[in-house]
Amino acid sequence: MASIERHEAKRRDASGRLRKVTKYKVRYRDHDGRSHSETKDRMVDAERRKAEIELQLSDGAWHDPRRGLMKLSTWLEQWILTRHDLRPTTRARLEATIRSQVTPRFGSTALSRISNADVRRWVQEMIDDGLAPTTVRKAVFALRQALEAAIADGRLFTNAALNVPLPTERAKQPKYLTRAEVERLAAAMPKRYQALVLVGAYAGLRWGEAAGLTRASIDIGRSRIRVTRTAIEIKGHVTLGQEPKTRRSKRTIPIARSVMRRLQSHLNEFVDDGPDSLVFSSPRGGPLARSRFSRRVWQPATVKAGLTGVTFHGLRHSYVAILVDAGCNVREVSEWAGHNNVAFTLTRYGGLFEEGTDEAVNRLDALLDPDRSPPTADD
């Protein structure tokens, strides 16, 4: 059980006169028999803390408060080493967020000294500095994860980064290229990279999926592309043969035969015969580094095609639009694009599927009112 000791001492005040000062020390032992003490200025605070400690000790919820005195920067260094659950690219982004936003603000602060008010002020500071809502949210999420781990480690009782108002992310409206624009962009590319535009716009491959694509993944006879591995790039270094982004990212994509014939021509001209040969590589034969490729090849080609601002990932939007235009249903679109679930497809691209609503009305009429004449062009 805990006890309270009263201590009196004399100290000089600001004027230099000696005054009597009373302190109240709460003493107790933990489950292992180690002694602890906490000092309060008022008896009422000491009694309240004594009751809290006794309740925590009886419930098994007591944690050594000294463990929360570790600086956040020290904890982050230890915590990030245990995040073996993250993909390398996700880990690199998390480390960059910690280095750029979290550590400069809270690195020298003890874990238990970070308050909810501190985090709220930090959010406002980042907004005032002009940081994008996405950047602000990622910074708070990174701190929240680190503090949650500190709770699990018995260093904290509560997570100061919870219940913090965050700026709203406004999703950018997807930009769809027409098939004429896709072809214009492909024509503006160097010949060895024209097919790269095709697999982005007509197969919906992500950059890492395209950069890691091998000859063995292309089934010319059945007109299919199998996505089983991806390339990841961290600090300019590309690693091949990695697991795709999600379980649903592993997929088999049907390709228009006209597109497959063009892809076959690319294989014949630029790709070695081995099954593990990269479909798209640098002029020297190595894997494509996205940052270098974007600067040297992609951006000049978009300017030449009059499509400045188009990214490789933007081709996936066009792919979805093409599938919908071809009459594919939402399940097919979600599966072939490698989306996490159908709900994401509908949330992101729901407007595309609404274009077929009028035709759905006609089909319903044909089923429920077969005697009704079909609508004319003037209806």
Side-chain angles (χ1 to χ4, degrees), residues 269-334:
E269 186 170 356
F270 297 107
V271 183
D272 293 339
D273 291 336
D276 295 330
S277 298
L278 289 173
V279 175
F280 304 107
S281 60
S282 68
R284 296 183 179 181
L288 291 177
R290 186 172 191 172
S291 53
R292 189 180 304 115
F293 179 85
S294 177
R295 184 175 61 256
R296 296 180 178 179
V297 181
W298 184 267
Q299 292 177 12
T302 59
V303 172
K304 182 179 178 181
L307 298 169
T308 305
V310 173
T311 64
F312 183 82
H313 191 80
L315 297 179
R316 277 173 58 80
H317 301 320
S318 303
Y319 171 67
V320 171
I322 289 170
L323 289 181
V324 174
D325 196 36
C328 299
N329 61 48
V330 65
R331 182 196 61 77
E332 293 170 328
V333 173
S334 182

Side-chain angles (χ1 to χ4, degrees), residues 132-290:
T134 300
T135 303
V136 174
R137 294 172 68 89
K138 286 181 179 179
V140 175
F141 293 158
L143 176 62
R144 184 180 297 171
Q145 292 177 56
L147 296 184
E148 197 64 34
I151 293 174
D153 196 49
R155 297 182 181 277
L156 293 174
F157 291 104
T158 59
N159 191 328
L162 289 175
N163 302 316
V164 175
L166 298 176
T168 302
E169 289 183 275
R170 294 185 178 181
K172 294 181 179 179
Q173 191 67 22
K175 180 179 180 180
Y176 308 105
L177 298 184
T178 65
R179 273 162 279 182
E181 289 173 328
V182 170
E183 293 299 331
R184 194 164 76 235
L185 177 57
M189 298 285 286
K191 191 175 181 182
R192 70 179 297 117
Y193 298 123
Q194 290 179 355
L196 184 61
V197 175
L198 303 184
V199 299
Y202 300 145
L205 267 59
R206 301 177 176 91
W207 171 263
E209 295 167 349
L213 194 65
T214 61
R215 180 183 275 273
S217 298
I218 299 179
D219 187 339
I220 296 175
R222 297 180 63 236
S223 202
R224 304 282 194 276
I225 290 179
R226 291 186 298 273
V227 177
T228 58
R229 289 289 183 267
T230 187
I232 62 171
E233 180 179 346
I234 300 176
K235 297 180 180 179
H237 178 71
V238 181
T239 304
L240 302 171
Q242 300 298 300
E243 283 292 310
K245 184 178 181 180
T246 65
R247 179 183 59 81
R248 281 175 59 91
S249 293
K250 287 187 175 182
R251 61 200 190 278
T252 299
I253 308 165
I255 307 297
R257 292 184 179 87
S258 58
V259 174
M260 184 56 75
R261 286 193 292 270
R262 297 165 70 183
L263 187 54
Q264 183 176 13
S265 297
H266 170 84
L267 295 175
N268 294 340
E269 186 170 356
F270 297 107
V271 183
D272 293 339
D273 291 336
D276 295 330
S277 298
L278 289 173
V279 175
F280 304 107
S281 60
S282 68
R284 296 183 179 181
L288 291 177
R290 186 172 191 172

Side-chain angles (χ1 to χ4, degrees), residues 2 7 45 47 53 60 122 146-147 159 207 213 258 283 285 295 335 346 372-374:
H7 292 270
D45 294 331
E47 290 177 338
I53 292 170
W122 175 47
L147 296 184
N159 191 328
W207 171 263
L213 194 65
S258 58
R295 184 175 61 256
E335 178 183 341
L346 286 172
R372 182 178 184 273
S373 300

Side-chain angles (χ1 to χ4, degrees), residues 77-146:
E77 291 174 2
Q78 297 180 10
W79 170 69
I80 201 68
L81 292 176
T82 67
R83 294 305 309 271
H84 54 80
D85 56 314
L86 300 177
R87 299 179 73 244
T89 49
T90 304
R91 182 191 183 104
R93 286 193 292 268
L94 177 60
E95 290 175 340
T97 296
I98 290 172
R99 185 170 57 252
S100 301
Q101 276 82 44
V102 182
T103 301
R105 181 62 173 80
F106 293 112
S108 60
T109 306
L111 289 168
S112 59
R113 297 286 190 266
I114 301 173
S115 69
N116 182 267
D118 292 334
V119 180
R120 287 170 177 257
R121 282 192 292 271
W122 175 47
V123 169
Q124 190 59 53
E125 290 167 3
M126 289 190 287
I127 293 173
D128 292 343
D129 287 341
L131 295 184
T134 300
T135 303
V136 174
R137 294 172 68 89
K138 286 181 179 179
V140 175
F141 293 158
L143 176 62
R144 184 180 297 171
Q145 292 177 56

